[in-house]
């Protein structure tokens, strides 16, 4: 009985070894060797594009300065309507993301006002949606924004918080030199006082450099 198990073990081991050797020999027939087999490993990969010309940039920073071209205040300092209260405007706009083919920006505006000799100033924090996308390098763009305005200097007994909203259109030239361009923009910029009467309807022109990276 002992010799039967030994012979059976030898038979199984020999059979498996033979099958393995035949399978290995068959697989070697399909292996390509030589110069032709090595060519794919020495061929260049996909053609790389120049990042300066083809790859879209991820972020855009715009620095702007401008002046109000028209502005009307209602029930702000005085009852009724007061013209030409908007003065200087400064700010920046930062493109940081895209959503459904639209650029998502964050804009900070600092505006100065003169209400019949009384000065006021306000900083606005505005999410801004613009199209077409900056990466298309199409020169014209349009946008809409809305956000919170905080007065640093305000008329007595008037709200220090405002609801701000803008409609804009502009032209930007992003490739004047690598990473630097120029823009000019016209916009309707309005605000409503949140905690008191008073509002402003105005329009302004701004311009400045554009940095893309």
């Amino acid at each position: 009985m002992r010799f039967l198990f030994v012979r059976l073990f030898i038979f199984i081991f020999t059979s498996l070894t033979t099958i393995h050797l035949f399978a290995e020999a068959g697989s070697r027939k399909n292996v390509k060797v030589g110069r032709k087999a090595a060519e794919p490993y020495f061929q260049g990969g996909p053609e790389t594009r120049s990042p300066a010309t083809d790859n879209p940039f991820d972020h855009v920073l715009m620095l702007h300065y401008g002046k109000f071209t028209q502005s009307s205040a209602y029930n702000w300092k005085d009852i009724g309507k007061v013209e030409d209260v908007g003065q200087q405007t400064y700010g920046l706009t930062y493109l940081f993301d895209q959503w459904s083919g639209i650029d998502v920006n964050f804009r900070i505006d600092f505006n100065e006002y003169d209400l019949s000799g009384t000065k006021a100033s306000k900083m606005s924090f505005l999410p801004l949606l613009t199209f077409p996308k900056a990466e298309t390098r199409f020169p014209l763009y349009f946008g809409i924004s809305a956000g919170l305005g905080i007065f640093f200097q305000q008329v007595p007994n008037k709200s220090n918080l405002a609801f701000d909203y803008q409609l804009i259109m502009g032209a930007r030239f992003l490739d004047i030199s690598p990473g630097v361009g120029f823009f000019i923009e016209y916009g309707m910029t309005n605000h409503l006082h949140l905690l008191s009467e008073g509002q402003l309807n105005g329009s302004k022109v701004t311009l400045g450099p554009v940095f893309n990276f």
Side-chain angles (χ1 to χ4, degrees):
M1 191 73 176
R2 179 180 177 182
F3 290 104
L4 180 60
F5 280 110
V6 172
R7 292 177 63 183
L8 182 60
F9 173 77
I10 294 173
F11 173 75
I12 294 174
F13 176 78
T14 305
S15 300
L16 292 175
T17 303
T18 304
I19 293 172
H20 174 73
L21 292 174
F22 275 107
E24 187 177 6
S27 63
R28 287 179 179 176
K29 293 181 181 179
N30 297 326
V31 176
K32 295 181 180 180
V33 296
R35 182 177 178 181
K36 290 185 177 181
E39 283 180 356
Y41 297 97
F42 293 96
Q43 291 178 353
E47 182 181 355
T48 58
R49 297 181 178 180
S50 170
T53 57
D54 294 329
N55 287 350
F57 42 79
D58 295 322
H59 307 282
V60 176
L61 177 65
M62 304 164 63
L63 303 179
H64 31 96
Y65 166 78
K67 297 195 69 174
F68 281 83
T69 58
Q70 181 276 332
S71 57
S72 301
Y74 298 88
N75 301 328
W76 189 341
K77 178 184 176 182
D78 303 314
I79 300 300
K81 180 179 179 181
V82 180
E83 295 286 355
D84 298 325
V85 299
Q87 303 296 309
Q88 314 287 335
T89 178
Y90 319 85
L92 63 86
T93 301
Y94 177 58
L95 165 63
F96 65 92
D97 203 356
Q98 294 178 350
W99 174 71
S100 297
I102 296 175
D103 282 340
V104 181
N105 309 264
F106 182 69
R107 170 166 288 190
I108 298 177
D109 269 345
F110 184 81
N111 301 314
E112 297 177 345
Y113 309 98
D114 185 350
L115 296 105
S116 304
T118 301
K119 302 293 184 181
S121 61
K122 174 173 61 71
M123 181 170 285
S124 305
F125 302 91
L126 305 163
L128 170 66
L129 303 179
T130 57
F131 66 93
K133 294 185 294 185
E135 67 180 32
T136 65
R137 290 176 167 79
F138 188 72
L140 301 180
Y141 66 95
F142 306 88
I144 183 171
S145 67
L148 180 67
I150 301 175
F151 282 92
F152 292 163
Q153 186 177 0
Q154 175 61 302
V155 174
N157 301 320
K158 291 295 183 179
S159 173
N160 288 320
L161 299 178
F163 172 71
D164 286 41
Y165 55 100
Q166 298 181 1
L167 292 173
I168 63 171
M169 59 180 179
R172 59 191 169 198
F173 307 94
L174 301 172
D175 299 318
I176 294 178
S177 64
V180 180
F182 173 82
F183 86 99
I184 184 168
E185 180 182 296
Y186 173 80
M188 293 183 291
T189 175
N190 305 332
H191 75 240
L192 299 171
H193 295 169
L194 292 178
L195 304 177
S196 68
E197 289 186 340
Q199 71 179 72
L200 173 85
N201 296 338
S203 58
K204 62 183 180 179
V205 173
T206 57
L207 53 84
V210 182
F211 305 95
N212 57 80
F213 47 97

PDB file of all heavy atoms in Angstrom, residues 103-114:
ATOM      1  N   ASP A 103     -17.216  81.036 -15.891  1.00  0.00           N
ATOM      2  CA  ASP A 103     -16.156  81.342 -14.942  1.00  0.00           C
ATOM      3  C   ASP A 103     -16.749  81.838 -13.625  1.00  0.00           C
ATOM      4  O   ASP A 103     -17.653  82.685 -13.617  1.00  0.00           O
ATOM      5  CB  ASP A 103     -15.222  82.419 -15.508  1.00  0.00           C
ATOM      6  CG  ASP A 103     -14.257  81.860 -16.529  1.00  0.00           C
ATOM      7  OD1 ASP A 103     -14.040  80.633 -16.538  1.00  0.00           O
ATOM      8  OD2 ASP A 103     -13.713  82.650 -17.326  1.00  0.00           O
ATOM      9  N   VAL A 104     -16.234  81.314 -12.523  1.00  0.00           N
ATOM     10  CA  VAL A 104     -16.659  81.728 -11.186  1.00  0.00           C
ATOM     11  C   VAL A 104     -15.548  82.613 -10.603  1.00  0.00           C
ATOM     12  O   VAL A 104     -14.422  82.161 -10.402  1.00  0.00           O
ATOM     13  CB  VAL A 104     -16.919  80.520 -10.278  1.00  0.00           C
ATOM     14  CG1 VAL A 104     -17.380  80.984  -8.901  1.00  0.00           C
ATOM     15  CG2 VAL A 104     -17.956  79.596 -10.904  1.00  0.00           C
ATOM     16  N   ASN A 105     -15.862  83.883 -10.369  1.00  0.00           N
ATOM     17  CA  ASN A 105     -14.902  84.861  -9.872  1.00  0.00           C
ATOM     18  C   ASN A 105     -15.318  85.371  -8.497  1.00  0.00           C
ATOM     19  O   ASN A 105     -16.480  85.257  -8.092  1.00  0.00           O
ATOM     20  CB  ASN A 105     -14.825  86.073 -10.816  1.00  0.00           C
ATOM     21  CG  ASN A 105     -14.610  85.687 -12.262  1.00  0.00           C
ATOM     22  OD1 ASN A 105     -13.503  85.672 -12.752  1.00  0.00           O
ATOM     23  ND2 ASN A 105     -15.695  85.396 -12.975  1.00  0.00           N
ATOM     24  N   PHE A 106     -14.366  85.981  -7.823  1.00  0.00           N
ATOM     25  CA  PHE A 106     -14.656  86.715  -6.597  1.00  0.00           C
ATOM     26  C   PHE A 106     -14.146  88.139  -6.777  1.00  0.00           C
ATOM     27  O   PHE A 106     -12.985  88.350  -7.128  1.00  0.00           O
ATOM     28  CB  PHE A 106     -13.987  86.072  -5.385  1.00  0.00           C
ATOM     29  CG  PHE A 106     -14.311  86.773  -4.103  1.00  0.00           C
ATOM     30  CD1 PHE A 106     -15.589  86.719  -3.574  1.00  0.00           C
ATOM     31  CD2 PHE A 106     -13.344  87.504  -3.432  1.00  0.00           C
ATOM     32  CE1 PHE A 106     -15.894  87.373  -2.387  1.00  0.00           C
ATOM     33  CE2 PHE A 106     -13.643  88.161  -2.250  1.00  0.00           C
ATOM     34  CZ  PHE A 106     -14.925  88.089  -1.724  1.00  0.00           C
ATOM     35  N   ARG A 107     -15.027  89.097  -6.574  1.00  0.00           N
ATOM     36  CA  ARG A 107     -14.688  90.511  -6.807  1.00  0.00           C
ATOM     37  C   ARG A 107     -14.781  91.308  -5.506  1.00  0.00           C
ATOM     38  O   ARG A 107     -15.736  91.146  -4.725  1.00  0.00           O
ATOM     39  CB  ARG A 107     -15.616  91.117  -7.854  1.00  0.00           C
ATOM     40  CG  ARG A 107     -15.526  92.626  -8.005  1.00  0.00           C
ATOM     41  CD  ARG A 107     -16.210  93.115  -9.261  1.00  0.00           C
ATOM     42  NE  ARG A 107     -15.434  92.759 -10.455  1.00  0.00           N
ATOM     43  CZ  ARG A 107     -15.688  93.226 -11.673  1.00  0.00           C
ATOM     44  NH1 ARG A 107     -16.687  94.066 -11.882  1.00  0.00           N
ATOM     45  NH2 ARG A 107     -14.948  92.847 -12.704  1.00  0.00           N
ATOM     46  N   ILE A 108     -13.798  92.168  -5.289  1.00  0.00           N
ATOM     47  CA  ILE A 108     -13.811  93.132  -4.192  1.00  0.00           C
ATOM     48  C   ILE A 108     -13.766  94.526  -4.805  1.00  0.00           C
ATOM     49  O   ILE A 108     -12.855  94.836  -5.577  1.00  0.00           O
ATOM     50  CB  ILE A 108     -12.622  92.927  -3.241  1.00  0.00           C
ATOM     51  CG1 ILE A 108     -12.691  91.545  -2.595  1.00  0.00           C
ATOM     52  CG2 ILE A 108     -12.610  94.005  -2.168  1.00  0.00           C
ATOM     53  CD1 ILE A 108     -11.512  91.234  -1.705  1.00  0.00           C
ATOM     54  N   ASP A 109     -14.736  95.343  -4.482  1.00  0.00           N
ATOM     55  CA  ASP A 109     -14.813  96.723  -4.966  1.00  0.00           C
ATOM     56  C   ASP A 109     -14.766  97.686  -3.793  1.00  0.00           C
ATOM     57  O   ASP A 109     -15.430  97.466  -2.770  1.00  0.00           O
ATOM     58  CB  ASP A 109     -16.112  96.959  -5.745  1.00  0.00           C
ATOM     59  CG  ASP A 109     -15.952  96.696  -7.234  1.00  0.00           C
ATOM     60  OD1 ASP A 109     -14.802  96.610  -7.697  1.00  0.00           O
ATOM     61  OD2 ASP A 109     -16.980  96.567  -7.919  1.00  0.00           O
ATOM     62  N   PHE A 110     -14.013  98.766  -3.947  1.00  0.00           N
ATOM     63  CA  PHE A 110     -14.009  99.845  -2.967  1.00  0.00           C
ATOM     64  C   PHE A 110     -14.455 101.113  -3.689  1.00  0.00           C
ATOM     65  O   PHE A 110     -13.814 101.556  -4.651  1.00  0.00           O
ATOM     66  CB  PHE A 110     -12.616 100.032  -2.369  1.00  0.00           C
ATOM     67  CG  PHE A 110     -12.576 101.064  -1.274  1.00  0.00           C
ATOM     68  CD1 PHE A 110     -12.968 100.752   0.016  1.00  0.00           C
ATOM     69  CD2 PHE A 110     -12.156 102.360  -1.544  1.00  0.00           C
ATOM     70  CE1 PHE A 110     -12.942 101.706   1.025  1.00  0.00           C
ATOM     71  CE2 PHE A 110     -12.126 103.319  -0.547  1.00  0.00           C
ATOM     72  CZ  PHE A 110     -12.524 102.991   0.740  1.00  0.00           C
ATOM     73  N   ASN A 111     -15.580 101.697  -3.248  1.00  0.00           N
ATOM     74  CA  ASN A 111     -16.180 102.846  -3.917  1.00  0.00           C
ATOM     75  C   ASN A 111     -16.240 104.044  -2.984  1.00  0.00           C
ATOM     76  O   ASN A 111     -16.487 103.904  -1.779  1.00  0.00           O
ATOM     77  CB  ASN A 111     -17.598 102.507  -4.391  1.00  0.00           C
ATOM     78  CG  ASN A 111     -17.619 101.343  -5.354  1.00  0.00           C
ATOM     79  OD1 ASN A 111     -16.821 101.274  -6.279  1.00  0.00           O
ATOM     80  ND2 ASN A 111     -18.534 100.410  -5.126  1.00  0.00           N
ATOM     81  N   GLU A 112     -16.039 105.214  -3.571  1.00  0.00           N
ATOM     82  CA  GLU A 112     -16.121 106.467  -2.819  1.00  0.00           C
ATOM     83  C   GLU A 112     -17.295 107.297  -3.337  1.00  0.00           C
ATOM     84  O   GLU A 112     -17.557 107.336  -4.550  1.00  0.00           O
ATOM     85  CB  GLU A 112     -14.818 107.259  -2.973  1.00  0.00           C
ATOM     86  CG  GLU A 112     -13.605 106.545  -2.390  1.00  0.00           C
ATOM     87  CD  GLU A 112     -12.317 107.326  -2.629  1.00  0.00           C
ATOM     88  OE1 GLU A 112     -12.324 108.244  -3.458  1.00  0.00           O
ATOM     89  OE2 GLU A 112     -11.309 107.014  -1.957  1.00  0.00           O
ATOM     90  N   TYR A 113     -17.979 107.971  -2.407  1.00  0.00           N
ATOM     91  CA  TYR A 113     -19.164 108.757  -2.747  1.00  0.00           C
ATOM     92  C   TYR A 113     -19.063 110.139  -2.105  1.00  0.00           C
ATOM     93  O   TYR A 113     -18.414 110.324  -1.065  1.00  0.00           O
ATOM     94  CB  TYR A 113     -20.437 108.059  -2.249  1.00  0.00           C
ATOM     95  CG  TYR A 113     -20.553 106.614  -2.655  1.00  0.00           C
ATOM     96  CD1 TYR A 113     -20.181 105.605  -1.780  1.00  0.00           C
ATOM     97  CD2 TYR A 113     -21.039 106.258  -3.909  1.00  0.00           C
ATOM     98  CE1 TYR A 113     -20.286 104.276  -2.139  1.00  0.00           C
ATOM     99  CE2 TYR A 113     -21.149 104.934  -4.275  1.00  0.00           C
ATOM    100  CZ  TYR A 113     -20.766 103.942  -3.390  1.00  0.00           C
ATOM    101  OH  TYR A 113     -20.863 102.619  -3.750  1.00  0.00           O
ATOM    102  N   ASP A 114     -19.747 111.099  -2.730  1.00  0.00           N
ATOM    103  CA  ASP A 114     -19.825 112.471  -2.216  1.00  0.00           C
ATOM    104  C   ASP A 114     -21.284 112.898  -2.290  1.00  0.00           C
ATOM    105  O   ASP A 114     -21.821 113.139  -3.384  1.00  0.00           O
ATOM    106  CB  ASP A 114     -18.936 113.399  -3.039  1.00  0.00           C
ATOM    107  CG  ASP A 114     -18.885 114.815  -2.465  1.00  0.00           C
ATOM    108  OD1 ASP A 114     -19.680 115.114  -1.551  1.00  0.00           O
ATOM    109  OD2 ASP A 114     -18.056 115.612  -2.927  1.00  0.00           O
TER     110      ASP A 114
END
